Amino acid sequence: MGEDKKRPIGLIGQGVVYQRVKRYVEHMYRIIPFTTENLPQQVATCGIMVYCSDIWTPRTLQKINQHCLQSGVALLPVYTQFGEGIIGPCVVPQEKGCATCAEFRKLGATFSDADRQLLHQYLYNEHELKVSQPWLSSFSTEILAALVGEEITAYLHRSSQVRTSLALLSISLETLDCCRHSFLPLSSCPDCGELSKDTAEMATITLQSRPKPVAFTYRTQQSETKTEQIFSTYVDERAGVIDALSIHERGLLPIVSCELHDQLGSVLGSGRTLCPEQSKVVSLLETMERYAGLYPRSKHTTVRASYHQLIQQEQQALDPTTLGLHSPERYEQYDQNHRHLTAFHQNLTCNWVWGYSFQHQSPILVPEHCAYYRIPVSKENPAFVSDSSNGCALGNCLEEAIFHGILEVVERDAFLLTWYAQLCLPRLNPSSVTDPMIRLLVEHLEGRSGYTIHILNATLDHAVPCLLLLGSDDQNRISMPKAQVAAGSHPHPEQALLRTLCELSEFFALPPQSYQRQRVHALEMLANSSLVKTLVDHPLVYHLPEAFDRLLFLHHPQPQQTFQEAFGDFYYHPPERMDLRDDLEYLISYYLKRGIDTIVVDQTAPEHIPCGLRCVKILMPGMLPMTFGHDNRRIVGLERLHQLPFALGYRNYPLSEAEINPYPHPFD
């Protein structure tokens, strides 16, 4: 870059900021004034282009950003926005993280819906909106000009000291306080983003050895240094992937949540653990998991075909019917209402992405809408299932992510089998738990909330313990929610209980007035199950005492087991595997022997790489998929639902269609 540093400084823009920056910088460097007309032809002659404006005009900035990227010239914007002066980012040629990335990150980090709508108008309005800046003064413009001069000098002579590299400097025009806000390049940025082609080769997985510190730890150790790195990488109030974490003090356990705003909607991650700091980490990582599951962020989908065409071409492709479909009546309803679901048939053309099948030991094509759950629906890429984050998991390595993705699929399958077949499960005695902390937690939650916790063994035919917890107000208190159900799975049965207790604790923290405000809506859903449409609707129905009859199959007294009786193999012959790869291979082979494949779609986004994270979607054909919205349930084509209750002795014959529980599930 030695010759580039000798080139002149380009200056484009208008207003007071432009004039002050020009006067300041021309004493140090040769200045070439530019207009939008001569920019495309002459921008390559500059060492760096500086864009100055008294107002925020993101569409103009984006055009200049595009010209600079195409010409390989650095760009440094300086402008004002809502009472602040903004400097940056310094857009470096051939490096990710441009001015457009920064604008989208600012939009995503905006907490208020009203503010986000306003910013959205600025970004997308055909006629650029202009707002005068009343706080501009000679002193504030002097500060902005001086900081711009420092950044230019740093870029040309001391590149490691550029403060606006992947960052913005915000200067309050009222107080002149200066803050630095770092951001990550946006993988889907229309100007500097570059997705690789999705190929079979990229989907191939070879499991690596992952030594564990102790046998019952299924996460690689999380150091304080890495925790700090995660927070500094993803959280920033102005430009972070996540703007802030919300700590909810009302809970019986520390609950932390954070929200991510994306162009396809918002997603929420939450953490419920015994430790506030750990709850923060879990909340943040769950949100970053959601971030990856919305749509492909690292790969460009390249395959569009029908299942029939793929089979004719002898391509390895997943049969979509094995994932569970909606009822014919549901597809007909969608068709009549011009909604977004299309009935599947083998000649239906849609997009496919590459995953990896452990059954076939080779890459496999998976319908894109089954691998990501917020892909826009179009005529070219119709959706035939309503999907969710079911099976999405994030880890410190690929093996960890796959392992925990399988646990989630297993947990939901066990829960839905119990619900749809109305299985009367064995009860577990909490006093038999060997960990005194978990026994105390059960007592703490029951004592503080007044609810009774019923622990049910929902392991069924699974490789790991699966538990279902029913929290019920057996005192029948007026104005209190009646019941909540939670589920969890883990190789260690007591850890499965701990995880499920943490899930249930959020319900115990609900203020009574919240239930009362929603009671009318809940009664409407009780009368008409089709009104249960969202994730929060499902448990709300069962807060009603009037709905408790639907839960009696879980509440009726059943034979009680100790944990040692229920999970004897674990307690008397505990596994001693010290490599997570061995644990994972055991799970995969266990289900393969039962005819259930494990298919992995790598969802890892470029945003995960700085912290060494990996994210996957796990599909296990034949297992019952979790869905939200009662009419969206997917049980067609899943023989497991009909045969397993009979095979395990819960019924004397296979479950018929008419015997499937007709009510919405209570999972959230």
Side-chain angles (χ1 to χ4, degrees), residues 205 207 356 358 391 393-395 397-408 580 584 587-588 598-601 614-618:
I205 293 174
L207 298 179
Y356 185 80
F358 279 95
L394 181 139
C397 59
L398 187 62
E399 291 74 15
E400 186 180 311
I402 297 172
F403 184 87
H404 289 275
I406 293 174
L407 291 189
E408 179 165 290
L580 184 60
L584 177 56
L587 280 185
I588 292 170
T598 298
I599 296 172
V600 181
V601 177
R614 300 294 294 272
C615 195
V616 300
K617 166 81 169 187
I618 300 299

Side-chain angles (χ1 to χ4, degrees), residues 176-191:
L176 300 181
D177 288 338
C178 181
C179 297
R180 182 178 183 272
H181 301 282
S182 61
F183 68 90
L184 288 174
L186 185 69
S187 53
S188 57
C189 175
D191 294 339

Side-chain angles (χ1 to χ4, degrees), residues 359 585-597:
Q359 180 180 28
E585 288 178 340
Y586 166 76
L587 280 185
I588 292 170
S589 64
Y590 178 94
Y591 288 104
L592 282 177
K593 289 173 184 175
R594 288 153 180 80
I596 299 174
D597 192 8

Side-chain angles (χ1 to χ4, degrees), residues 225-236:
T225 303
K226 182 157 187 180
T227 298
E228 291 171 3
Q229 180 192 9
I230 288 170
F231 277 93
S232 64
T233 300
Y234 298 122
V235 182
D236 183 271

